[in-house]
Amino acid sequence: TEFKDVQEFRFYSQSELKLKVNSCVEFTTEYKLWKNGELVQNSLSDQNNDRRLLAVSGGDSNTVVSFSASEFTTQDDFQLQVFIIPTNHPEWTLEGPQIKLLPRSGLPPKVKDIIPSAPLLNATGVNQLVAEMHVYDAEFLFIWNIEPNDLNMLTNNRGPRIRFEGKIDGSPLSKTQVYTFTVTVANKYQALQKTLAMNVNSAPTGGTFTLAPPAGIELETPIVHTFSGWTDDQLPIRYELKEVLEDGSEILVSTESGKSRKYRTSEENTGESSEITLALYVFDDYGASTRVTKTLMITAKSETDIGSDLAAQIRILSQKQVVQAEETLSEIYSLSEKLRVSEVNTKPEGSPLFGDLLTSLEKASTEKMKNVAEQEMGFIALSSLSSN
């Protein structure tokens, strides 16, 4: 029989000191307790359990000595000695080392719970768990352990938060495997643990992603994106459609099914037809995702064609501007006629009429408004051609 080498122990209001005992026979545990050098209790001779300051339980390798804070103060010096007494051979009693007890004020450390970012683990991507705990001592370390233990950790696992990539040796987490997470809060005197077992979430399945038509002309053909038939236990389902650029980065195109968009060829292939890769991400409510890609062939238009199209659009806009200007001036002219009639009856003969002034303004402004509209449209045309 042997004791684990323990020389001192720090404890809070309610703590447990676990003594590791290796024994091949049954035994009981007793103790002696000193306060400031004076023996205050000897359970070997005093068998009255009501007067015990310490509670000793167990007769195996996990013998536990429990402390009550009401009996210990931080100003006093305490020493504890534990005795292992074989049940059938008390003469073989083993005296343990004297352990210095160090009472501490404040609340004891506590690991309350492990809180995952979602009830299920994602098979791929980043998973995150947080340990909820009460720890006020900088000496404590937070150590995470995962079983199976070959997950790829993204950050240092010393801390109340853990982030890891849902992969094992490059493969997604297994949907049939249960993963166990243990956080240990420990210093050299004690260790507290909390364990959480989690299953793996399945990503959405069974759906389709279509492009209609599957090819088009640059800046001319509207391509309709349709996502349908996707199912999952964790609803609702959401979508993100992204265009994959030449450098591998992705830009968001749409989050709704049935929307359309006109595409351009890539900047590297200006004036040439090119393939555009679109990636659809289908997410469930817990963040598990499925990625599906489609290739879209876009036929390039020459710079002359693009310029002609822009010019035609500008002419239409210009005509609309002129019509709007003429309608506005027509209203002014109508108002001026009413004013002139009214003023003829009220002003002395020979006085300038405000209505006549508006009429002259209308006639002089018509051509001016047309010129301004055409100049504005010309500026838009130059800006569009420059940006393209």
Side-chain angles (χ1 to χ4, degrees):
T1 306
E2 62 181 18
F3 280 101
K4 181 181 178 181
D5 184 19
V6 179
Q7 295 182 348
E8 63 180 18
F9 178 67
R10 295 187 182 184
F11 62 96
Y12 292 83
S13 57
Q14 294 178 348
S15 297
E16 289 184 344
L17 169 61
K18 292 186 178 182
L19 302 176
K20 180 177 177 61
V21 180
N22 298 322
S23 176
C24 59
V25 298
E26 294 182 359
F27 61 89
T28 58
T29 309
E30 300 295 343
Y31 69 88
K32 289 182 181 180
L33 180 66
W34 289 264
K35 179 180 179 181
N36 298 326
E38 178 184 354
L39 183 64
V40 294
Q41 193 160 67
N42 181 0
S43 68
L44 288 168
S45 57
D46 185 357
Q47 299 297 320
N48 188 343
N49 291 330
D50 293 337
R51 299 210 317 241
R52 286 196 173 206
L53 298 178
L54 304 182
V56 181
S57 62
D60 52 27
S61 60
N62 290 315
T63 295
V64 176
V65 181
S66 298
F67 300 89
S68 174
S70 60
E71 304 295 342
F72 298 91
T73 61
T74 58
Q75 294 80 15
D76 296 314
D77 178 25
F78 294 92
Q79 298 283 336
L80 172 68
Q81 186 175 23
V82 177
F83 298 85
I84 302 299
I85 306 173
T87 303
N88 296 327
H89 298 277
E91 68 276 12
W92 293 351
T93 296
L94 177 65
E95 296 184 9
Q98 286 196 9
I99 302 171
K100 183 177 182 179
L101 301 181
L102 303 173
R104 306 200 66 175
S105 59
L107 296 174
K110 180 181 180 181
V111 181
K112 185 177 180 181
D113 206 354
I114 297 177
I115 304 174
S117 57
L120 298 172
L121 296 173
N122 289 328
T124 59
V126 175
N127 292 274
Q128 179 171 296
L129 297 92
V130 177
E132 184 180 4
M133 58 189 65
H134 301 150
V135 178
Y136 305 95
D137 191 337
E139 295 180 357
F140 280 89
L141 296 177
F142 310 94
I143 303 173
W144 283 94
N145 182 58
I146 308 177
E147 295 293 341
N149 60 6
D150 45 3
L151 294 178
N152 180 25
M153 305 291 293
L154 292 184
T155 60
N156 192 327
N157 67 341
R158 293 181 178 271
R161 186 183 302 271
I162 181 176
R163 296 175 65 247
F164 66 93
E165 188 175 0
K167 290 184 179 180
I168 297 181
D169 295 332
S171 301
L173 298 183
S174 171
K175 296 178 177 60
T176 60
Q177 174 73 51
V178 176
Y179 295 88
T180 302
F181 302 87
T182 302
V183 60
T184 302
V185 184
N187 61 12
K188 67 178 182 178
Y189 305 106
Q190 61 190 122
L192 306 168
Q193 286 188 335
K194 192 73 178 182
T195 297
L196 175 67
M198 295 186 67
N199 295 314
V200 177
N201 182 24
S202 298
T205 58
T208 60
F209 168 32
T210 59
L211 301 175
I217 300 174
E218 181 179 21
L219 295 178
E220 181 175 312
T221 307
I223 307 298
V224 180
H225 327 102
T226 304
F227 336 126
S228 61
W230 294 94
T231 60
D232 194 89
D233 293 334
Q234 319 305 330
L235 300 176
I237 290 177
R238 61 184 179 88
Y239 305 97
E240 289 185 4
L241 178 64
K242 297 184 177 183
E243 180 179 346
V244 183
L245 304 181
E246 294 287 335
D247 61 0
S249 61
E250 299 178 350
I251 57 173
L252 183 64
V253 173
S254 176
T255 59
E256 298 181 47
S257 177
K259 297 293 183 179
S260 64
R261 182 183 179 185
K262 298 177 182 179
Y263 289 89
R264 290 198 60 186
T265 56
S266 63
E267 294 183 2
E268 291 78 2
N269 296 324
T270 301
E272 300 179 7
S273 300
S274 62
E275 288 185 344
I276 294 178
T277 301
L278 297 176
L280 174 66
Y281 293 86
V282 187
F283 298 91
D284 69 8
D285 193 41
Y286 292 163
S289 64
T290 299
R291 185 177 187 267
V292 183
T293 60
K294 290 283 186 180
T295 300
L296 177 65
M297 177 60 72
I298 295 297
T299 301
K301 300 181 70 173
S302 67
E303 294 183 3
T304 301
D305 292 337
I306 294 176
S308 298
D309 290 345
L310 288 174
Q313 294 178 23
I314 290 168
R315 282 195 297 273
I316 294 173
L317 290 174
S318 178
Q319 291 170 1
K320 289 182 179 179
Q321 291 276 4
V322 171
V323 170
Q324 290 175 358
E326 290 177 344
E327 290 175 350
T328 302
L329 291 172
S330 177
E331 292 179 3
I332 295 175
Y333 180 74
S334 176
L335 177 61
S336 72
E337 288 294 318
K338 293 179 182 179
L339 285 171
R340 184 171 59 238
V341 171
S342 174
E343 289 178 328
V344 165
N345 299 324
T346 59
K347 286 185 173 292
E349 185 176 353
S351 298
L353 297 178
F354 184 66
D356 291 337
L357 180 62
L358 286 178
T359 302
S360 300
L361 177 64
E362 185 270 338
K363 293 178 180 179
S365 299
T366 300
E367 291 301 321
K368 180 66 174 177
M369 292 291 288
K370 291 180 181 179
N371 292 336
V372 170
E374 290 173 355
Q375 289 173 3
E376 290 181 352
M377 293 304 100
F379 176 75
I380 294 173
L382 289 175
S383 299
S384 299
L385 290 174
S386 175
S387 64
N388 289 324

